Amino acid sequence: MRQRDTYRRESLVLIDLADAEPAMSGGKAAVLARLLGAGLPIPPGFVVPIAAYEQAVDGPSAELVNEIAQALPRIGGGYVAVRSSATSEDTAHATAAGQHDTFLGVRGPDQVADAVRRCWASLRSERAVAYWRRQGDPGSPTIAVLVQRLVDADVAGVMFTGDDVRLEASWGLGESVVSGHVTPDSWVVSGDAVTRRTLGTKTTRIDRTVAREVEPADRDRFCLTDDEVTRLARLGRQIADLLGGPQDIEWAIADSRVWILQARPVTSSLPAAPAAAAGDGTARAGTPASPGSATGPVRVVRGPADFARVRPGDVLVCRTTDPAWTPLFGVVAAVVTETGGLLSHAAIVARELGLPAVLAIPDATTALPDGAPVEVDGSTGRVALLDC
């Protein structure tokens, strides 16, 4: 209570994370406040509320920057994560996964204020507008911004709760998992037992703002023990019980301590975990990420410069997607990537939009020739070249 009173007395604008409510602080921050009140391990933080966004003209005011400068030491100083908390995201109907910006490894009041401004701007970005157009107009969304102490994670990832708990994880910050830039290690937990585990290809890790290669020995071993996996699963089920339904949860482990970074309702169920799909000379097998099947010509996209080549009905084939690629999801018939997991932004958005997707086919951009007709089965993870 002392920290909350300090915020109320000293801040005219900012809201202590413990006091966050949806109307003022958006859905993401409000859920974390609820978990914090239940005694769950949430990094300390504060919220730049919706009113500050609605009153801003040219970005954060001098008064707001001054209040940020006073608030940062109260959450530990040092590096922070600056994340959107829009009224329209993280709901039971749509996650808006990756559509509004997050900035990690931010330090000092001026950098935080700039990150706040950029989070505000992302509410009306091309990718967010395209996403909401496909989902149906959410009305007039507005946005708060959440600032939390950055967890310098040794391991981080995502879990989906349900009858089973599905987890994905990699070394370093969880950004590499949610962005799809690595193919993470994955587990299925049934009851209190790990019933399935798959070793990923964890070639890179992100620490604060630096990406670096993972040591070969660490690539070839699981980043979590089974005991850690089952402990996370129990925590995930506790959160799901508290919030009243299956949850998509981001978490991190630093110095053996677990932190919960986000929880939101699961908006679309995961594909079943089938036996490994078979590949051959005319087919490739990967991770079934979004169910359904589609056929169309391959369109290999290596970056934004290739966007103009994509035509309606193409099959998008790429190394990985980025949230800025969301407008393509409204054009293509299916998505195939070389890296990524079931719980990445690309997979979540594909499932919400009903777009078949297969991830983690390591040689997809070279084995699937540009323009060649293919069939994508997002339920089995098989991508097959068709006879012309």
Side-chain angles (χ1 to χ4, degrees):
M1 182 62 72
R2 182 179 303 164
Q3 186 187 38
R4 296 188 190 188
D5 290 342
T6 299
Y7 272 93
R8 289 178 179 139
R9 183 173 65 252
E10 296 183 1
S11 176
L12 300 176
V13 177
L14 304 180
I15 298 172
D16 179 19
L17 177 57
D19 293 326
E21 298 177 353
M24 297 182 296
S25 303
K28 184 179 298 176
V31 168
L32 290 177
R34 187 173 174 185
L35 298 181
L36 186 60
L40 290 163
I42 310 297
F46 59 85
V47 180
V48 180
I50 288 168
Y53 167 73
E54 293 176 337
Q55 295 167 8
V57 178
D58 298 316
S61 65
E63 177 190 34
L64 178 55
V65 176
N66 181 59
E67 292 201 10
I68 289 171
Q70 295 180 52
L72 287 173
R74 292 197 288 268
I75 63 171
Y79 291 94
V80 297
V82 181
R83 312 173 71 194
S84 68
S85 183
T87 54
S88 54
E89 67 181 327
D90 292 350
T91 70
H93 305 291
T95 63
Q99 304 312 305
H100 306 128
D101 280 341
T102 289
F103 300 95
L104 304 176
V106 181
R107 189 169 192 176
D110 290 336
Q111 287 189 14
V112 171
D114 184 60
V116 168
R117 177 190 61 77
R118 294 164 70 185
C119 282
W120 287 347
S122 72
L123 183 67
R124 303 295 180 184
S125 67
E126 181 182 0
R127 69 175 184 266
V129 169
Y131 173 84
W132 289 116
R133 185 179 298 120
R134 286 291 304 270
Q135 288 286 4
D137 188 351
S140 300
T142 188
I143 192 169
V145 178
L146 173 61
V147 180
Q148 287 180 283
R149 187 174 68 201
L150 182 71
V151 176
D152 283 323
D154 302 310
V155 180
V158 186
M159 60 179 156
F160 270 34
T161 67
D163 293 337
D164 294 332
V165 177
R166 308 277 286 271
L167 293 98
E168 294 185 340
S170 190
W171 304 110
L173 299 184
E175 178 64 16
S176 61
V177 176
V178 298
S179 67
H181 287 135
V182 300
T183 300
D185 297 340
S186 63
W187 298 261
V188 178
V189 180
S190 302
D192 290 325
V194 175
T195 56
R196 185 184 180 104
R197 61 183 68 78
T198 304
L199 188 67
T201 53
K202 309 174 296 293
T203 56
T204 61
R205 62 179 288 162
I206 300 173
D207 297 289
R208 294 184 182 169
T209 59
V210 178
R212 58 189 177 89
E213 291 190 359
V214 172
E215 293 295 327
D218 287 337
R219 298 180 194 181
D220 297 331
R221 68 183 180 96
F222 285 97
C223 60
L224 294 172
T225 66
D226 281 4
D227 284 345
E228 289 171 323
V229 170
T230 54
R231 179 161 59 111
L232 283 164
R234 286 193 295 271
L235 185 57
R237 291 192 176 104
Q238 180 184 351
I239 292 169
D241 288 344
L242 178 66
L243 298 179
Q247 298 292 307
D248 166 0
I249 300 165
E250 293 183 22
W251 52 268
I253 298 176
D255 297 325
S256 300
R257 184 175 183 182
V258 175
W259 295 93
I260 299 301
L261 308 180
Q262 178 173 304
R264 58 192 178 196
V266 172
T267 56
S268 53
S269 59
L270 297 178
D280 54 39
T282 62
R284 289 295 185 272
T287 300
S290 180
S293 63
T295 59
V298 167
R299 193 62 58 217
V300 176
V301 175
R302 303 188 186 281
D306 292 331
F307 284 8
R309 299 177 53 245
V310 178
R311 297 289 181 266
D314 283 352
V315 172
L316 172 63
V317 177
C318 55
R319 172 167 172 73
T320 187
T321 65
D322 182 275
W325 296 34
T326 299
L328 297 182
F329 282 47
V331 175
V332 299
V335 176
V336 178
T337 70
E338 293 187 333
T339 63
L342 279 171
L343 310 183
S344 64
H345 291 326
I348 292 170
V349 173
R351 288 193 293 271
E352 288 185 350
L353 299 180
L355 192 66
V358 176
L359 310 186
I361 298 180
D363 60 351
T365 60
T366 54
L368 302 174
D370 194 75
V374 293
E375 180 180 22
V376 178
D377 190 331
S379 301
T380 65
R382 192 169 187 269
V383 180
L385 288 164
L386 303 176
D387 293 334
C388 297

